[in-house]
Amino acid sequence: MTILIFSSGQADAVMKSVVSEDQISCDVKDTLRIFLQKLTENARSAGKRSRERSLEEASQILQKIPKEALGSLQPAALHQFVQLVLALQLEAVTSSSTCRKLDQMLQVLAEINCSIVFEDTYKCISGHALILIKLKKNLFFFLFLQVFSLKDLQIVCMFLEDSTTGREVLKAECSTLLNKVAELIPAVMSDEATRNGPLCYQTVKVCLQVFQLLPGQVALMVYSKESANMSLRDILEFLMSIILGEVSSRDTRLLAGTAVAMLLTTATDSQCAGSAAWSLLQITNTEPWRLTVGELQVDCRPRRQDGVDRLAVCRGLLTCCRNDILVSHHSNQGTCLLLNGLFPFVSALCEEKLDCHYYVFQVFTIWLKRLRECLSEVWEVTGAPLDSDLQQHLTQIIWSNAESPLDGVAEVARSAFCLFMEIYDKDCLHFENTDKRLYVELLNSISELPWESKAKYLPLTALLPYAGTDKVRGVTRHPCTFYLLFLSLCTSNIFIMFYWHSLVFLNDQYDDMMIVFDYCHLLAWMRVYKFVDWLFQLSLVYLTPDSSYQRKKTVLLLLSAVLETCTDTWSPDRKKGQPPANMSTLINWAKERGKWDFFSKSKMLVLIGCLEDSTNEIRELSAELLLRFFPSSLPDDVTAVLLRRAERLLHSPRVQEAQMGALMIKLLLHKVDGAFEHGEKQSVKLITFLLTKLEHHYLTASNDMLLAARTTPIHGVVSALQRGLLEVPGVLAESITHSVAGDIVSLVEKLTLLLLGVLYGDQDTQEKDVPPSFCDMGNAISSLIGQGGVEGAGLDEDGEENVLLSEEHSLVLTCCWVSLKEIGIFLGSLVERILSLHCKELTLSVEELRKASKVFKDIILKCRHWGAVEGCCIGFTKFCRALLSSSDPEIRESPPLILKQGLSVLQLPRSASVTRRAAGLPMLILGVLAAEDSSKTRPLLAQTINTLLDTAKAPLPQDWDQTLDLPQVCAVHTLQAVVKGSSLGVAVLQYTPVVAVLSLTLLSSPCWAMRNAALQLYSSLCTRMLGQQPTGEEGSAHSGMSSPSFFNLYPALQPFLQGALESAATDLHDATLLLHPSLYPVLTLLAKLQPGAEEQTRALSEFLPPPVYGVRVMSSRALVAMIPPSEYLATVLQLVEKLPESPDVVCCHNRLHGQLLQIAAILARALKTSMSQSSLSEVVSEFECRLWMASVRQRCPLVRLAYVDIVSPIRGHCSSAFLTQLSCQLLQEIHRTPNILEVGSASFHQSAVNFLCGDPEWACQVWQHLANGNAVVRLSLVKSATEGRGWRGTVLQRVMERALQANLKKALLDQNLEYRGAFLTALVEVMTPEEDSLALPRPCPSGFEETWLQECVEVLFTDLESDRGGPVLISTALCAVSLVDLSLLQRWCKLLEKHRCPEAPEALRAACAQALCLCGVHVVTRSLTGGLTLKELSTSLISTGIYLLQDESPQVRAKAAVFASLLCCSVRRPEDPQKCFYMQVNRALHSLLDLLLEEFWDASCALEALVCHLPDCDLNAVLKEAKETQCRSLYERDEANVFAEPSVISECLLPHLLNLIKHYPKSSTLAKNLERWAQNSAAIVKENLTICMQLQLGDVPNPDWLSLLIEPRFHGALSGLFTRAIVLLQLLKECDSIRPLLDPLSSSKNLQDIHRRFVVNGLVLPQVFIDALRTD
């Protein structure tokens, strides 16, 4: 047999034969050589995009060769060319695009010599499962000799679909091909693995392609008696058995449905094809039935009627059938296949809750599309418009899926609605139906939905083009409705159409625009190369370790954009954004001018320094740039240094540092070249090195675990192996053999047993089934530490037991847990990759896989740490998925066996308590279930759910022990894990009703553990059913699901929940103190639903009397969700009318309170809808008649509270007499002192105060009696000042100011800290002017007597200076003192200096910024015309502002920027300070520095206000710490301010310090300060410059330098040193007295040498330093 295999030697042979031909010119030979090089490049490339690119280029080269030149090739050479291309086709059978490109080349060659291409194609096919016999010149006969393999089927598919010549070859032998397919069927269906594997799928695919691409040949065999083919009958029977459930793979069954439908459509007679299609619709039969397709008849036996069978048939018919087939009738005239045959199937599938609902709804959308295509033919058949029942049915299907939580269904529903509207509009136009009642009905239905409902807007956007804006406007009266409709339109085609018309207009101006564009384009490229180089250099400056995360991330993204745009680095994985073909010309042009040197060693070192960033994102972005754009191999010296650095990091016990080392290993494996001796592949040596190191770490841990945890932890090397072997292409196959893979599994097993033994305190863990408790682990590790010779392990300084973990304890525990997690991830990923390679040289035996399985079970079941278990489960899921996908039955049965064992363990009674939530057993079960193929029926999931349900339902034993874990409880916890697990997706939704029923039932269990587990399960279930709500929106209306949609999705829940509510209501009537356990959970679920169009209020109205307050509240919320929006007011009116009209009517307080709560809840929702004043008037009138409920005649404060809460939102609709009467009663009430304790009185008084403060007149009366109120009233009143700002600029504000000032001293002496803090907050809020007015001159505070003012201020300062009251109270006091007094400015400034530091609490730093705005602007403005003291204070305030503009908190920085904006506005535009522009933070920083230099340069503190922000320049301490290789602690201490950037602030300060020196001759004070500073700094600068000069920096980087390069304090100290040195050098020019301190020439030369050496070694300084040195 002839089997073509591509090789580079074959390409060389072809080239030799071409070169030997004299009749071909040299140019053509060169072109053919390039063509062959591209083909070879295609064969060698690993990435798909790379291969496609090389093929595209080869195809273009071939097409450019003149046909005459190709025609002059000898037949032997042409044969070789054709065979070369065919060999590539055979290697790329799974890539359709590649095969088509190769086929294009074959067609070019076929134009030269068709017979050669045909002959070689014949021979190629004959090499795979068939033999070719040549009869005469161009006639061949095929004799298939063996059963098809998977590869053979793929080749047949390729030749059918992607080869013009191959299709013609197979067309002639269609019958023979089908015979061989039929012979393969018994082998395919022989066992379950083969049925559900790729062989079966590929067989179906071949059938489909034969039916689709060779319809003429197939039709003769199906519909002609003379040509009937029995093999085709066997194939049809095979396909039907797959559809009917013989195969569980959903993808294969759907493909089989398409294949059968395609077979039907081969008939040219639509009636024959239609008859066969109608026959196929018998698929719903539960009994055996016969399918007739032309002359073929097969008996069909239903096996699994799970809906996929009908789905496959419908999908196939809708996809494949021609229009004439879809409108064919069966028996009755007026019927057609599309409407009367397929639609009942599709609608029934939509109503069923299948786990493939997304596919079902896709088919529904396809049905609508085919209806739109066939609409004219349907009208001819039916002779009437679309039936109204059909319209309602379609509407119901779409509507019920508009809020589906299943991914993608809601979006498909919107598409379906648009299709339906288009179909209906065409139908109305055709039959001249101008009424269009459906639009009106839909708009009415939409209008009933609340504006928050998500289901409201998508239909509106679909209706808008057809119903018109006037009708749609009727349902968008609410402003939120209009806004959300606009947002919906912005994402719709309507908005796109608007843009399209705009583009058409612009296109008319295209010619004129292009002339201008060409000229601008030329000018732009003249400058672009300089700009790009500047941008690249600027980016490198800010990649220092002391730059902030935000700055580094922005820079890395910018670098990526620059390198993508301005290099010729082609990215195989990108379809768009590739560099233009002539980019290399521009690059060379720029490099000739000394620009665009992007890939030098110094720039590489900058990015390598980022590999040790503290954030994972910066590390990965840097590594990506190095991998994508930099040369394929690192310089040898860089490789050696990087390897040593990675090795050191892998020895670090810190998890983050170990991850840095693993990332470096990955980079080295990508680019290693020369770090080891030549000979063996470098990647192999590096992996061997890592495996040896892991063995060494294991031995160290075996001998001394404490030493290993500190110096040779396991997790770093495991992580490096995982990233190196599995994330670098080709490394696994190159470096690992079968024996090595087995050794890895054995070593991992030993490591796992060792680590678990440490946690147990006993290395014999094989027989231990119960994991150690955390206490046991602690004791075991303490004992281990004690054995290691650590004195006083676990004891504090006094010898007492320490509740905090010691450093040694943390080291061991972290090492164990993190290592177990990394082992699980590595082992699972390794097994998955090895099994996916299908490589004979690299396999794992069944015994080794069992060993790996045991490792996973040991970690998951015997380690309590949740992070370790979850991490291990990631690898375990990959492990199980790989095993389930194996073709070996023994391997494939392993995961089900693990699951079976896990479920059996769960069902057994325990002799001891394992842990809460069943420990790791649920995660073990979840890992197996998550690995199951989602495209199949998930039998393991069904089996597990049923087993767990049966176990959970089992009755408790009579003598159950609460100290032991019950199997029933473990089953419930496992169900929770299954329901909660995101890996299972929507597969569990079909089981949610039965699980919900179980959880609610188990809430009545006598066992507390069972009730607790059931409640957790119910909570997880609600989240799964309703979808995850955004943070902070729990219970929010617009993030939930409507009640109709909910019960449509889960219909089985409606009767159960109704029954639960009725049962609970019965219990409440029978015994008032008995509360049904499931009542509150049911109400909670219902309360989370949005309102809908169904009413379920009958049972909810019974939950008014219970004594439990929470039940009444939840009942009222649930009631809202069950009432249609159109019934809101009617329900409210009904409830109000039931309220007693006088206190003489006997009523239950609980019922009365419940009724009021329901009224309040419904009314709150009703007010959000658009309603008229008149519609609410009747409700308000009835409610006003029951005013007695807010008076003292109603003795229950909770009832009075509920009444007032109802009036508050509708006070604008109430009569003035009613409001006056109510306000009088409330005013009297808040000043009444009750004789006895009244439950709820405090809440009522708080509500009363808030109600009264809603009216300015009554609020004035309340504030005037602030001192007379009780504690609750006073607290509520001062809190109300901060809850609304409607009082600003009114008489009420002045009343509030006077009241607060009058009561300030009393409040400051109050012992209630909450009241004191709220009072001061109110004082600050009321007395603070509007932000725009802060720049205006400050008026003196009025209303204070002088003595009282001094006493109050002294109390405030005393509290502030002694830090009394906590950060929140102190921060409020600081703002308050900034408002009430300006006489003690020095004490105030010292407080700001104290609290501006990063170590202070954020509340205090924010208060400093607020104080600057309140008082600082005024002080600095006054100082411009004031005395020297004010100038000194002003420099301190500006310095404080600079500190706060560098704060970690964005809120603090924003407020400090307001201060800078106000100050600059007040100083620079004193004539109009209110027109203030608020600056961005960085701009604000520069503005304060400018202001300091312009207005306060001569102040005595000006110099100090600048240099205090410079970072320390002591390099000695930095170098000493950088040389330490041993970690002092497990966790690195974070900086107090992670946002601070010492290098950046030094860059900002340098120009201002240099400008300050220019004022040296103008001020003696400044001169003295500068000289004093120079004398103090010169020695330090000189010493540190000497240290820099002594650094061993050469052309070859060293590990010590790399340690400095990634040290943030080194960069900060260096920037501080350069700033000080440059300032000193400038000062030496101005001041003769300090010249002996420093030699300017040598210092300047040293700085330039240091800079030059640093740049070469990857440390880039800001341009401002370079410019200053050049100037100097």
Side-chain angles (χ1 to χ4, degrees), residues 1061 1078-1087 1100 1103 1111 1114-1115 1118:
L1061 292 176
S1078 63
L1079 173 58
Y1080 194 82
V1082 170
L1083 292 175
T1084 304
L1085 171 62
L1086 296 178
L1100 286 173
F1103 301 125
V1111 175
M1114 196 56 67
S1115 169

Side-chain angles (χ1 to χ4, degrees), residues 654-709:
R654 294 175 179 168
V655 178
Q656 187 169 260
E657 291 184 359
Q659 290 173 348
M660 298 172 188
L663 181 60
M664 289 179 180
I665 292 293
K666 175 185 174 181
L667 177 64
L668 284 168
L669 282 166
H670 268 284
K671 297 181 177 289
V672 69
D673 183 21
F676 300 89
E677 298 178 1
H678 294 286
E680 190 180 3
K681 280 196 172 183
Q682 312 306 326
S683 59
V684 176
K685 291 187 175 183
L686 185 51
I687 293 298
T688 306
F689 167 74
L690 291 174
L691 292 173
T692 305
K693 185 167 285 294
L694 183 60
E695 180 75 30
H696 169 67
H697 285 207
Y698 164 69
L699 294 175
T700 305
S702 301
N703 296 325
D704 189 341
M705 187 64 203
L706 181 58
L707 176 64

Side-chain angles (χ1 to χ4, degrees), residues 1201-1245:
L1201 166 65
Y1203 187 90
V1204 173
D1205 286 347
I1206 293 172
V1207 176
S1208 294
I1210 60 172
R1211 68 188 308 162
H1213 301 273
C1214 298
S1215 63
S1216 57
F1218 167 77
L1219 291 176
T1220 301
Q1221 194 174 356
L1222 176 60
S1223 300
C1224 287
Q1225 292 182 3
L1226 295 178
L1227 188 62
Q1228 294 173 5
E1229 174 60 30
I1230 61 175
H1231 294 121
R1232 180 180 67 88
T1233 304
N1235 297 325
I1236 59 173
L1237 179 65
E1238 296 179 349
V1239 177
S1241 60
S1243 299
F1244 172 53
H1245 286 168

Side-chain angles (χ1 to χ4, degrees), residues 63 164 167 302 332 337 519 598 765 1047 1584 1608:
Q63 291 173 6
T164 306
R167 189 159 49 249
N332 299 327
L337 177 66
Y519 177 71
F598 299 139
T765 62
F1047 289 121
N1584 285 282

